[in-house]
Structures are given as C-alpha cells and as structure tokens.
Amino acid sequence: MAKLIPCSFVFILSSSILVMTNDGSVFSDGLSTRSRWIVDERGHRVKLACANWPSHLQPVVAEGLHKQPMDSISERIRFMGFNCVRFTWPLELMTNDTLAFHVTVTQSFQRYRLFQELDGIRRHNPSILHLPLFNAFEAVVSSMGRYGVMVILDNHKTVPGWCCGNHDPDAFFGDPEFDPNLWILGLKKMAASFRNVKNVIGMSLRNELRGPKEYPHVWYKYMQQGAEAVHASNPNVLVILSGINFDTDLSFLEHLPVHVSFKSKLVFELHWYSFSDGRGSWRSHNLNDFCAKILGKVRNNGGFLLEKGFPLFLSEFGTNQGGGDGDGNRYMNCMLGWAAEKDVDWAIWALAGDYYLRQGKRGLVETYGMLNPNWHHIHNSTFLRRISVIQPPYKGPGVSHNQHNRIFHPLTGFCVVRNSRKRRSELTLGPCGRHEPWSYNGHIGTLVMKDHRSVLCLEGDVTGGRRVKLGKKCSKIERVSASKMHLSFKTRLGSSLCLDVDSMNNVVANPCKCLSKDASCDPTSQWFKIL
Ligand SMILES: *[C@@H]1O[C@H](CO)[C@@H](O)[C@H](O)[C@H]1NC(C)=O
Ligand SMILES: *[C@@H]1O[C@H](CO)[C@@H](O)[C@H](O)[C@H]1NC(C)=O
C-alpha cells in the first residue's frame, strides 16, 4: 500500500468458493491458469477473493497476534467470505538468516520496546513466543491452511517497515536496498520453503515497483528472471507479476509480452485506490464522466490483459471504511461496478485492524481494515456486504451458469429484487444471491422479470418519487451517462426519470442526477450495474 495515505454474515462453505479439501488434496499440483481464469486441477474456476494480511512491518510478525489467537483470525477470514490471503513479507526474512532464524518473536518485540504487544502475544499466541521469526511466519500460514485459506506470499519490500514511497531505498531494481540478485535468491528460498505447503498457491514477486528509475526494459529483465526462479523452486505456485508506478501500470505488456519458459502459471496484478487517480479528483469531477474516464485508464493500464487471456488480480484496493473519505466513497462505486462486471480476482487492503508499529506509531488503526482494532469484530458490515457481492465467481469454467441478469446497486451492495411480501409487483433492494430472473435486452431496452407464471416488465409509467413496479406496460430502459449506470426511461408526459433508491431501500423513479459535467452532486444512489 502506498505511503500516500494519511494514515453478520453467513459462513458459506460453497464448493465454488472453498475448493480445497481438508487434506488439501485438490491442490496437489496447485492452481493453474486457463485463459483469463485461475482454475483447479479439474479445470474449474477458483476465484481469488482475498484480504491483505501484513507481516512485513518492523517486528516481522503477522499483525494482530497480540489481540487474537491466529486460528481465530483465520476463522474470521473465512467467516467474512474470503477464501485467501495475500500475506506480505520483507525480503530480509529470506536473505538475512540472523533475522529469520536467530531472532525470536519475543526478541523482535523487545527490540522495538513493544512490551504491551508482547504481553498480548503471550496471552493469545503463546506457542510462537520463542519461535524464530521465520517459523512464526510458517505457523501463521499453517493456521490459514487449517481453515482452508489459500495464501499468496507477497514480497512487499526489502527491509521490514511500512511501504511505499517514491524515494524509498528499495523502490526499484538497482536501488541501494534492492539488489536484483539478492531478491532472486530470496524468492527462490521462499518458494522452496513452501514447496510442500498445499495452501500456498501463489507468490507475488514484488509489491509496487516505483521510483524515478523505473524503466520497462529493466522490468522485463528482472521480472522474467524472478518468475523463472520462483517456478524452478516451486512449480506449483502461481507466479504473480506486478506493474510499475505503484503497480498501477502494466500498459507496456500491450505490445511486448512477458517471455517465460513455463505455461499456465502466470498472473498479473494491479493496484487501484482513489488516490491512484489524483488526490481530490473523484470529488472535483462529474462522477459519471470521471468513472468512465478512469475505467478507460484501468483498461489501458492492465484491464486489457483479461482480453489477452491472462488472469488479472486486483491485489490492492480499498478505502477508509469510516465513510469520511469523499474521494474514496465515490471511487468505490465505480470500482465495484467494474470488478463485478469483469469478475476479476482480487485482494482488499486490508484485513488488519491495527498495526503493532507503523511509521513510528504504535497501535496505528487501519482505517481501511476489514476487522476492528480488536481483530474480531467486523469494522463495517455495510462495507463487507458491498464487497461480498464480488466474492463468488459468476463466470468461467465450471461455474454454474446463470442466464439471468442481476441488477447490482454498488452503493448498498444489494440487488434489485421483488418485494418479498404481499406487494410482489413492487421492487426493492435485497441480497444479490437471491437471483431474481431478470432479463435485460439492451437492443429494445426492456427489463423483464421472467417468472414461471408470467413475464413482467419494468413499468416506469410513474411520476417522480413514486415506486417503480413490474407490470404489463414495458418501459424502454436506457443506460445513460458516460458511466452507463443510470437506468433511465421516459414517462407518459415525455420527461426522463432514472431508477433510484429511497431511504427505505425501495426502488423509485426520480429525476436523473448530474448525468454529466456537474461535479457538485453524487449520483450513486442512481447507479445500477446490470450484470
Ligand atoms: C540481519 O538482521 C539482524 C537482526 O535484525 C541485523 O542486526 C543485521 O544488521 C542484519 N544484517 C544485515 C546484513 O542487514
Ligand atoms: C460504513 O461504510 C459505509 C459505506 O460503505 C458508510 O456509508 C458508512 O458511513 C460506514 N459506517 C460506519 C459506521 O463507519
């Protein structure tokens, strides 16, 4: 994650999400890629829905172990619907044997005078107190394995600490603290160390390459070497390559592909935060125009890889879950619509409730975190509901095909459904998993509910502010504005209205909000993504 940042759900053991048997047998040769999909040995899609669990800061211990037993955190990961973790590590954990094998967890916390935190570890995770740091790292991976959590080992930086700034000494290959040969050595050792650990399914080679010296030709040289090294040391893992400019840019791959000797293991990763698009930009532009513009950028910077037949792993995104980040709030709606439509693999920043020590501050709270600082309670259940819509796979090999459309409302994380009580013709918001039999025909502009008894149209013949109903009179529904997320129709008197949601989550019709140019208003209550 870039340093720029100032810094109850049902537990579904669906076979499409949890692909691992308890003994991990499904993964004996790991996952592989088939076109843009990540698949298991049966060729069935495995969608990565991960959270980032930092373990690369100064103490080099997975965060949160002073608050909860590691098994309890692993259980929470599954409880929130994630099937995987991007687990970060500093290169020194593999290139400095003193750090890895001779410094114990106790010594590491003592070194930073984190005595209260050490007490917490003694209480919640006594078994790791006297383990060397590398063995403690392994213990956390095993804990995730016990809960069926897949792990991607992410080399986050070289020296333990918070990441990332443009002028860090380990920003790009050749920087004072980024010796490419040492890095390759570290990757090899890490890959080999987890060769027989079934739940380790991927390695992400280096987080957020950046800085004044980043050149694509240097990127190819070392990323290809790193990829070969990892594959040779552990042929089971997915090899995940990140881009330049804080991993927001893989555009150079459009014209020059990566050359590696192995097949079906290569994945690319991209990061996307609101501040990647310029601070304040999401609030200072019209949201429809800006969302469309940024989606064009995301396509050019990496989205095109899906079309070229590579999996694209959105391995960092997120925002302040307290709701106070106006830029982040706007970005999230645009991002979620995109992620749902593309059905990409992803990892949210972050699982963390807080950090032992980050940027010199003890106990810094992670405002982007899924868990509270107690590492048990969910930070914001609305936020979790919104991202839970993109957890299950909707497309890809082996995913049970659903021919119906869903009408996703990114702002709430709900979908448009029929009123469940007496007034079945009225529409409201409800869980996206309910799979209402919607069918959208973009050519003629009809939005139809194909019931087993009847075919009903969205009937927009209402005046502003009134509820939208299902009926016999079909309104022509158009996707308007640059974002294409407004669903608009004409009333009998010829005026245009847009679908909207009132404070009770009823679906209503209202005058369309700031379709273009106007930056002052937030149209997202009227944003629906037809999936
Ligand atoms: C290796 O790690 C130890 C313990 O953190 C540290 O004291 C030492 O300076 C490191 N060595 C190098 C070469 O960075
Ligand atoms: C939770 O997140 C939603 C948006 O995802 C936001 O509107 C709300 O204010 C947040 N709630 C709290 C209590 O922070």
Side-chain angles (χ1 to χ4, degrees), residues 194-325:
F194 287 93
R195 196 175 165 132
N196 296 313
V197 180
K198 302 294 183 204
N199 65 314
V200 172
I201 55 95
M203 281 187 55
S204 112
L205 267 49
R206 184 71 169 198
N207 181 63
E208 299 198 352
L209 294 160
R210 63 199 177 277
K213 284 193 289 187
E214 56 174 11
Y215 298 109
H217 72 275
V218 184
W219 185 95
Y220 284 97
K221 177 177 177 192
Y222 292 119
M223 284 307 233
Q224 287 172 179
Q225 283 183 21
E228 294 290 354
V230 166
H231 185 72
S233 308
N234 184 344
N236 295 335
V237 288
L238 297 171
V239 176
I240 308 174
L241 308 186
S242 72
I244 58 173
N245 194 11
F246 297 87
D247 195 14
T248 61
D249 186 358
L250 289 157
S251 59
F252 43 88
L253 292 170
E254 175 99 60
H255 302 295
L256 184 59
V258 163
H259 281 290
V260 288
S261 64
F262 55 89
K263 281 201 171 57
S264 308
K265 288 284 183 185
L266 211 52
V267 173
F268 295 98
E269 63 180 312
L270 199 68
H271 293 179
W272 180 13
Y273 292 105
S274 65
F275 50 82
S276 318
D277 307 317
R279 284 200 174 265
S281 293
W282 283 92
R283 267 172 307 170
S284 59
H285 291 89
N286 173 271
L287 196 47
N288 288 299
D289 299 340
F290 198 65
C291 175
K293 180 180 160 192
I294 295 302
L295 291 183
K297 183 183 100 172
V298 167
R299 194 208 156 271
N300 291 338
N301 283 0
F304 68 89
L305 288 161
L306 295 170
E307 298 151 35
K308 283 194 184 278
F310 289 101
L312 182 67
F313 178 39
L314 182 66
S315 60
E316 286 193 24
F317 71 94
T319 191
N320 184 330
Q321 294 186 26
D325 175 358

Side-chain angles (χ1 to χ4, degrees), residues 92 95-100 103 111-112 133 159-160:
E92 279 205 352
T95 55
N96 180 339
D97 283 355
T98 309
L99 180 73
V103 176
R111 176 145 67 136
Y112 293 102
L133 294 178
V159 182

